[in-house]
Amino acid sequence: MTALVTGASSGIGREIARELAKKGYDLILVARSRDKMVSLAKELSKFNVKVRIIVTDLSKEEHCIKLYERTKKYNIDILINDAGYGVFGRFTDTPLKRELNMIDVNIKAVHILTKLFLRDLNKKNSGYILNVASSAAFCPGPLFSSYYASKAYILRLSQAIDEELKKDGSDVYVGTLCPGPVRTNFDSTAGVSFAMKGISSRYAAKYAVRNMFKRKKVIIPGKIMKFLPIFVRLAPTSLVLHFCYYFQKRKSS
Ligand SMILES: NC(=O)c1ccc[n+]([C@@H]2O[C@H](COP(=O)([O-])OP(=O)(O)OC[C@H]3O[C@@H](n4cnc5c(N)ncnc54)[C@H](OP(=O)(O)O)[C@@H]3O)[C@@H](O)[C@H]2O)c1
């Protein structure tokens, strides 16, 4: 059994790779940072699993397709689309190039890999795809607008695909991980500090893997964050936007 994990060089992706290795899955680790993945691969050798490393920049469409072409022979059972990052700031201030690169990683790469691997999983009618979105997927995010929107795309795409699979009577799982703040490199990459204390990436990953195998479709680690989608559903959008702006503003200070 083999799992491919993008974003495996740090944070949530690295912890998910550790969890899957513990369960005996051979791994394909994908990110740009070779050294971090080499040291993770060394660490995981104690679980007696095969670990392969692929260094690639997923912001490039052709790299995503090449990644699939290189790895389809391993008959992937689990795809974890974790790689992603945020660009924080007022929409008119954030650099266009960086934001477009973020959209390529957060949306385009997940879209491509989900489509290509899902076709193979459908053929054998088994396997799991877990797409890492965020609690940001549940609402509009003033001051973090394109990041929030990118994660909404991932949640809605995954839910819609899952419904298609359900109607086909398929046993393939497509789910979404929607954590609130998690202590990783995310905030330093995005140039913010979180307004609330995040959960550990180890906890988020353990929770994610456990619930993926329970076939839960939208996975929200942490008690407080579970209320967010309920609040967003019940409250007027103007109030949601107001709260969201307030929380993001606290992040920036
Ligand atoms: N931390 C949070 O509070 C939080 C909350 C909700 C959702 N998330 C989501 O969780 C996912 C993982 O983030 P994290 O919190 O674990 O942050 P992180 O520690 O910064 O990890 C991000 C991972 O994405 C990889 N990555 C980024 N750009 C890439 C690219 N162009 N090509 C290939 N790999 C790339 C990074 O690897 P390299 O730099 O080595 O390429 C790294 O392994 C993201 O999708 C993020 O949006 C995070």
Side-chain angles (χ1 to χ4, degrees):
M1 303 282 270
T2 303
L4 186 152
V5 183
T6 74
S9 62
S10 80
I12 301 168
R14 181 170 57 192
E15 292 298 336
I16 289 180
R18 284 181 172 135
E19 279 303 302
L20 293 172
K22 270 188 224 164
K23 293 188 184 302
Y25 282 88
D26 291 335
L27 287 168
I28 301 170
L29 308 177
V30 180
R32 292 165 302 177
S33 311
R34 180 186 297 280
D35 293 352
K36 289 183 188 172
M37 291 193 287
V38 168
S39 81
L40 178 62
K42 275 188 197 140
E43 178 202 313
L44 299 183
S45 62
K46 67 181 176 218
F47 296 115
N48 228 354
V49 294
K50 275 196 203 99
V51 184
R52 293 179 178 85
I53 288 168
I54 297 185
V55 178
T56 192
D57 180 350
L58 293 171
S59 68
K60 307 270 183 295
E61 183 180 327
E62 62 276 18
H63 291 192
C64 297
I65 292 166
K66 209 165 154 196
L67 173 64
Y68 168 73
E69 294 295 340
R70 278 180 71 182
T71 56
K72 64 181 175 189
K73 61 176 179 273
Y74 299 117
N75 201 11
I76 305 293
D77 301 287
I78 300 179
L79 168 65
I80 309 285
N81 275 313
D82 167 82
Y85 71 98
V87 178
F88 183 79
R90 288 175 65 81
F91 184 71
T92 45
D93 295 343
T94 45
L96 179 62
K97 216 170 162 190
R98 184 154 169 76
E99 221 165 27
L100 292 178
N101 182 276
M102 181 202 73
I103 289 168
D104 287 341
V105 180
N106 291 11
I107 295 182
K108 220 162 148 185
V110 177
H111 184 114
I112 294 169
L113 296 176
T114 299
K115 186 182 282 285
L116 298 180
F117 283 105
L118 182 57
R119 286 175 175 158
D120 291 347
L121 297 182
N122 274 344
K123 279 183 205 145
K124 55 181 184 176
N125 194 29
S126 74
Y128 296 80
I129 297 180
L130 182 64
N131 290 330
V132 180
S134 164
S135 57
F138 299 122
C139 51
L143 301 179
F144 220 165
S145 54
S146 49
Y147 175 72
Y148 271 55
S150 74
K151 294 303 184 178
Y153 181 93
I154 297 308
L155 173 62
R156 294 310 191 192
L157 180 77
S158 309
Q159 287 178 313
I161 296 168
D162 175 61
E163 187 63 17
E164 290 178 4
L165 293 172
K166 205 161 88 187
K167 293 287 185 281
D168 293 345
S170 168
D171 288 335
V172 178
Y173 165 96
V174 176
T176 320
L177 175 63
C178 294
V182 183
R183 296 192 301 275
T184 65
N185 294 334
F186 177 86
D187 47 349
S188 64
T189 306
V192 291
S193 55
F194 286 136
M196 59 189 275
K197 191 172 177 284
I199 57 174
S200 74
S201 50
R202 182 161 298 180
Y203 174 78
K206 266 182 188 292
Y207 189 88
V209 170
R210 192 169 68 240
N211 282 284
M212 177 183 79
F213 286 126
K214 283 185 187 167
R215 307 184 74 84
K216 194 162 170 40
K217 299 302 166 57
V218 179
I219 302 171
I220 308 174
K223 286 193 186 90
I224 301 170
M225 295 319 291
K226 287 189 176 51
F227 291 105
L228 182 64
I230 301 166
F231 169 69
V232 171
R233 221 174 295 139
L234 298 178
T237 306
S238 57
L239 186 66
V240 173
L241 280 161
H242 175 77
F243 270 112
C244 212
Y245 183 88
Y246 168 76
F247 277 113
Q248 300 307 334
K249 190 84 187 147
R250 282 181 61 202
K251 259 186 202 170
S252 59
S253 57

